[in-house]
Structure formats: structure tokens, C-alpha cells
Amino acid sequence: MRNKKIYIGLCVIMALTLLAEILFAEPHFHMPWHELAGADILIGFGGAWLLILLAKKIMAFALQRREDYYEGNGGEDDA
Amino acid sequence: MRTMLSDFLQPGLILIISGLLLLLLPAALRRAVQIAGPLLTLAAVLLVLGREPESGAPVQLGADLAESGVLTVIFALIFALIALVAAIYNLHEKNRYELAVEAVYAGSSISVVFAEHWIGMLIFWELMAVASWLIVVSSRTVAARRAGFRYLLVHMLGGNLLLAGIVIKLSQGEAAIEMLSVSMDAASWLILAGVAVNAAIPPLNAWIADAYPESTMGGTVYMGSYTTKVGVFCLIRLFAGTELLLYFGVFMAVYGVCMALIENDLRRLLSYHIVSQVGYMVAALAMGGELGVDGASAHAFNHILYKGTLLMCAGAVIKATGLRKITDLHRLGGLAHVMPVTAVCFLISSLAIAGFPLLNGFVSKALIMNAAAGGGYHWAELLLLLASVGTFMSVTLKINYFVFFGRGESEDAQPAEGALTGEGVRPGEASLPLNMKLAMIAGATACVVTGLFPGLVYGLTPFGSDGHPFTVDHVTQYIGMFAGAALVFVMYIRHMEPAAKLTLDTDWLYRKPLKYAFWWLCRTVDGVRLFLGGKIGAFCTRAVEYLHDPRRLLKAKPRPARDCLEDDDVLQKPVGWLIALTFAILLAATFYVLIRLG
């Protein structure tokens, strides 16, 4: 229920920004992706998804170890 | 051109002297010096910068940037300002050694900014490294001592690279600091490598996340403000427009947020955001042009404000709860109820770091994005936007949710041992001294003021560029982007809580394989020494026996015992060590002469 309200709120914000972008925005510098209205929402959504995939699935798998990783061999970490 | 003496007689010296006074003065006077030092420094900075001669001609990119002092304005001002805020935050601190090295560290950082000659820059650079190392170890834990040792090693490496480059420069008769990106020679590359260590450019970035979290609460605020930003200042001054740095900068921006997304330690997470935000600055200065240089300078200014506030708030949380892991803090069940001031200040500065409209990160990011767009670096702009999304997720959403506003796993979770809380009382702001709260409020207010009035920061930049941040496209861009990211965050909320694990960084290279390589090398060399020592020793012993008495070669007569002084053979000693040595030298000389003649 709580999440549902958050989803609705976020969708309203996205709709309003999209509307404002279509009606009022005059891009300062023309980016290739600025041709498409709402591209920034897609960058936010897709980027967040990509980062979660990259960080949580790939980097966490490759780089995360036990918290005492450097304290192995009887706490000898004199580097 | 100023004289060499002016490198030493500048505002930073006031803080260095105040540091020495803090060491000597009794406790009653220390607080006054703690505040008076940064205040006088700030006044001196304003006085000196107000006297900067106006040449009339506009500053040109290139040589002018390094020599004109226009870059000094914004960096000296923010360094002096944050020294004051950090001093207020640390006003309750009683450890005079810590207070002293913090003041010396801040003073030497300001001194680097004012240095006009390589020698002056190098001296204060090294002083900064030593003082910051002392800040790390001032928390007096085993982990801090070890992290401090690694920190010192990395910074001595950087300092020596800088020294090597400067020695070459001086040998070429160039005493004054000048722009190096114009023509890159060996000296320039060495100086770049030395400065890159301070700017935490990968692969030499791990010292931040390794050392900063081990420092004291106040010490981290100082360290988060100076070392990397002095690195950025030097990169702008010496290497603005070096395109190679663009790739490093963009990589840093994205890498920092990815590491922050999986990090569990509160201050380590924020340390990764230093890497990420410095990445923005490095990318901006590498793009060159007036917008790039102004973007990097303005972002450094704003970054010091919001990062200082974030680190102050993190320090307050750790001080009040005794906990530093997000997983542990989450179990306490949302600290916003018991630490409202800290929560609000953190929320404001975390929105600022992400680039939320009406806050200061937004106004400096606008300059950087305009620089990327104007320079045609579309890929860089896209990746920097991705880094903004990551920043929003890993600081604004992740920390605010799991530490301050989210519902905890259990209400009966107990704070860790050492927490400044009463028995059975949930940790709260009541345990925090007033000065800490005042400093946090000052930092958050500064983020809002500089965000609402971007002209304040734009006016301090070397070229005074305007980022036009409050256009509809800029504002909708960031709000839309953050709304999209928030949607994903809520969807994957279960995956967003960090795991109670340690994340490896490039420090793994010198903490594991290099450590074992050294151990193996020492063991091998020792083994060889013992083996050869044994063999050679045995050979020498036999040889000396025969040199003592060459007649033994002819007659296989056992040598009499050494302690038998009455024995004629021993007393006579026809040939001994001295003769053997003489013989060896003669032999070597003969060979040499024969070879030379041949």
C-alpha cells in the first residue's frame, strides 16, 4: 500500500516533468538525446537499473569478501 | 612575479602558526585559538585577494591561468571557510595533538594554493601529507595505525614523484609554477603522477576509502575537504585541457558511485563519493575551455560544502550511536526521530551532492554539463549523468532510507559498545555537543544559499561563466532523472540494503599480492644468504687454514688447535687475512691491467 502511493507519486512527478519539458523547455545545448522528450526519465530509470546490475550483481560478486578478509592469518595485516 | 618569500608569507601561515599554538597553549586558551586561527585566515584571504592587481586584460586559458592567481580566489576562500566550519564542529575536542595537526593540515593546503614557485608548493605539499597522516592515526586505533601507514606510503610515493618532476624543472632553470599541459615532457608526467595521487585518480584512489573512515570524526571533515581538492586545484592550474584526464575523470565518477552502492560502512561510502565527485572535476578540467575550468572550480567549492556537511552528519551519527555500518544503523529503526537536526542537514546535503535543483551541486553540475555539451563530449555527459543517478541512489536514497527515515528491522536493537547513550535510551542528538549541530546547520545552510544564488559561486570562478542552471530543461532533466531512478530504487528496495561485507579496491594490490611478493622476496634472499653464507663460510674457513700454513698443502698434517699458543705454526702465522686480502687485490689489479692492455 505504502509502495503503491510512492509509485503513484513518482509517476505524477514524471508526468509533470515530461509535460513541462514538452511545453516550455528550450535546451541550452542540443544533445542527441534531447530530440526525444522524456529522455532524461529514461536515463534515470535505465541508468539506475544498469547501476544496480553492475554494482549489486557483478561488482559485489567480484569484489566483496568477508569483513575480516585482511585480518587473516591471525590478524597479521602489516602492509 | 612574486618573490620566493611570498610563498611562505601568506594566509595559510596563520593556520599553521595557530596549529603550533594549539600544541603549546593551555586548554583554557585552546578554544579561542581554534576559532581565531581560521577566522584570521579567512580575513587574510579576503584581504590578499582584494589586493590582487587588476591587469584589465581578460585572463586567457593557458599560461595565464597558472600565473594570474585568478584560480586562487575560489579555492583559498572555500579552504578558509571550511576550516572555520570544521573548527566549530571540533570545538569540543580535547586532544590537542589532533587539533594542532588539523590546523597545520588546513594551513598547508591553503599555502599550496598561494604558492607561486615549485619549491614552495613542494614544501607545503609534503607538510600536508605528513599532517594528514597524523590526523588519520590520531584516532589511536590499530586499524587507524595500519591504514595511516598505508596512507603515508601512498602519499610519500606521490610526493616523491612530484619531487622528481620539480627537480627536473629546477634543473632546467624554471623556478616559477607554470602551465604544464602546453608541452608534456618527463617532468610534466612526473608532476602529473604526483598530483594524481592526491586527486585519487585510479589506480591510486584506494587510500581515501582506506584511511578516511579510520580517522576521527572531525579529522575526516578536514581530510574530505583538502587533499583531493588541492589535487584538483593543481590539476586545473597545471593540466587544464589535458584530454587524457577526461577518461580518468569519467571513470572515477561512475566507479565511485558503483562502489558506494555496495558499500556498508557509512564513512567509507561517503569516501567513495569523494572519488566520484572529484571525477566530475577532473573530467571538467580535462574538457578545458572556460566552462570546463569554471565548472571544475565551482564544483570543488560546492563539493567541499556538501561533502563537509555529509561527513559532519556521518560523524554525528557514529558519535551518537557508536555504529558505523549501515546494516547496524538500519536495525536502530530510522534515526530521523531521535536525530532530527542531523537528518535534515544530511538530507539537504545529500540532495545537493546528487544535483537536486535549488541546491549547490546542481549549479556547478550545470557548468560541467554545459562544458561537455559545448565541447562535443556527449559520451562523457551521458556517463556523468549516470554518475548523478548513482549518487542519488547511493547517498540520497540509500543512506536516508536505511539510516534516517526507513523503518528498522527491530526496535529493540542495541547500540554498539561505546555508544554515547544512556542505559536503555535510544541514541539521540542530546548526546551531541551544540557546536557539532551548529556546524552541520552552517554547512547545510551554505548548500542552500549557494544553490539559490548561484551567482555567489559563479562570480568566484576564474572566468565568471554562467551555467544558466534554472532553465526549464535543466530543472526538468534532473527531476525527471531522479524520479526515474527513485522508481527503480523502490522496485529493488530489497536489493539495496548493503551486505555486511568488505569491498576490495586497488589497495588489495599492496595489501595482499605485493605483501606476499615482499614476503617471498625476503624469504628467498634470506635463504640464498644462509645457503651462500654457509658454503662460502666453509670455503673461507678452509682457505684461511691453508693460508695460515701453506705447508699443509704438501703434508697432510692436521692443524693444531688454535688455543695452543705454544705451537710454533700458530705463533708464526706465515700468511693471514691481511696477506690474503693483499693477494686478492693484487690479483684483481693484475687482471684489470691485463684486460685494459689487451
Side-chain angles (χ1 to χ4, degrees), chain B residues 44-227:
Chain B
V45 165
L46 291 170
L47 197 70
V48 170
L49 298 180
R51 279 186 189 169
E52 283 293 322
E54 292 285 338
S55 62
V59 177
Q60 300 295 315
L61 267 175
D64 274 4
L65 190 64
E67 293 164 12
S68 63
V70 287
L71 197 59
T72 309
V73 179
I74 190 166
F75 279 90
L77 201 60
I78 189 62
F79 283 171
L81 266 173
I82 201 69
L84 181 61
V85 177
I88 295 170
Y89 184 77
N90 232 7
L91 210 55
H92 61 282
E93 182 57 54
K94 290 186 174 60
N95 182 352
R96 62 179 170 170
Y97 299 105
E98 184 193 332
L99 296 174
V101 289
E102 282 166 355
V104 170
Y105 173 55
S108 51
S109 303
I110 293 172
S111 302
V112 172
V113 171
F114 277 100
E116 295 276 329
H117 301 87
W118 293 116
I119 285 289
M121 175 185 162
L122 181 73
I123 288 170
F124 290 115
W125 188 276
E126 298 290 5
L127 185 60
M128 204 171 75
V130 173
S132 53
W133 164 64
L134 289 170
I135 293 175
V136 176
V137 297
S138 62
S139 61
R140 296 178 181 179
T141 61
V142 176
R145 184 173 58 78
R146 288 173 175 167
F149 182 62
R150 291 188 291 271
Y151 177 89
L152 190 65
L153 283 182
V154 173
H155 282 271
M156 288 297 115
L157 170 71
N160 285 338
L161 289 169
L162 186 69
L163 172 69
I166 287 176
V167 165
I168 296 174
K169 279 283 164 199
L170 293 178
S171 69
Q172 292 167 350
E174 296 169 17
I177 296 172
E178 58 182 13
M179 182 70 102
L180 299 178
S181 56
V182 183
S183 60
M184 294 290 284
D185 54 7
S188 305
W189 283 110
L190 284 167
I191 292 171
L192 176 61
V195 174
V197 172
N198 266 34
I201 294 178
L204 295 167
N205 64 295
W207 55 268
I208 288 192
D210 186 23
Y212 283 15
E214 303 305 334
S215 179
T216 56
M217 309 309 157
T220 315
V221 179
Y222 278 95
M223 295 185 73
S225 303
Y226 292 109
T227 302

Side-chain angles (χ1 to χ4, degrees), chain B residues 244-309:
Chain B
L244 172 72
L245 290 172
L246 177 62
Y247 303 101
F248 282 99
V250 172
F251 175 76
M252 286 167 77
V254 179
Y255 174 76
V257 294
C258 286
M259 293 297 272
L261 271 170
I262 52 176
E263 188 51 58
N264 189 28
D265 186 300
L266 194 55
R267 284 195 293 176
R268 212 171 134 89
L269 191 161
L270 293 175
S271 300
Y272 275 118
H273 272 289
I274 297 178
V275 176
S276 176
Q277 295 296 305
V278 170
Y280 275 88
M281 298 167 216
V282 172
L285 72 94
M287 288 168 199
E290 295 185 358
L291 272 175
V293 168
D294 284 355
S297 315
H299 204 57
F301 186 99
N302 290 337
H303 170 77
I304 289 172
L305 290 177
Y306 55 66
K307 180 59 73 181
T309 314

Side-chain angles (χ1 to χ4, degrees), chain B residues 543-565:
Chain B
V544 164
E545 281 177 4
Y546 283 107
L547 284 169
H548 265 293
D549 183 7
R551 289 172 298 171
R552 292 185 67 212
L553 287 168
L554 303 171
K555 48 180 181 180
K557 175 189 166 189
R559 191 171 177 276
R562 273 173 174 272
D563 55 353
C564 182
L565 292 177

Side-chain angles (χ1 to χ4, degrees), chain A residues 14-69:
Chain A
M14 282 190 276
L16 287 175
T17 52
L18 186 64
L19 201 66
E21 200 181 333
I22 292 166
L23 295 177
F24 308 110
E26 290 175 27
H28 218 61
F29 288 100
H30 285 283
M31 294 287 146
W33 56 86
H34 271 165
E35 304 292 326
L36 176 70
D40 298 314
I41 297 170
L42 289 178
I43 290 172
F45 189 88
W49 189 83
L50 189 73
L51 284 172
I52 290 177
L53 185 75
L54 184 67
K56 289 287 188 181
K57 296 295 171 194
I58 299 170
M59 288 176 74
F61 173 75
L63 299 176
Q64 289 204 310
R65 299 285 186 278
R66 303 187 321 271
E67 285 188 296
D68 62 346
Y69 175 75

Side-chain angles (χ1 to χ4, degrees), chain A residues 31 63 65 67 69 76-77, chain B residues 325 373 381 502 508 515:
Chain A
M31 294 287 146
L63 299 176
R65 299 285 186 278
E67 285 188 296
Y69 175 75
E76 287 298 319
D77 176 22
Chain B
K325 302 281 168 64
E381 195 211 359
L502 180 133
W508 176 80
K515 179 182 159 186

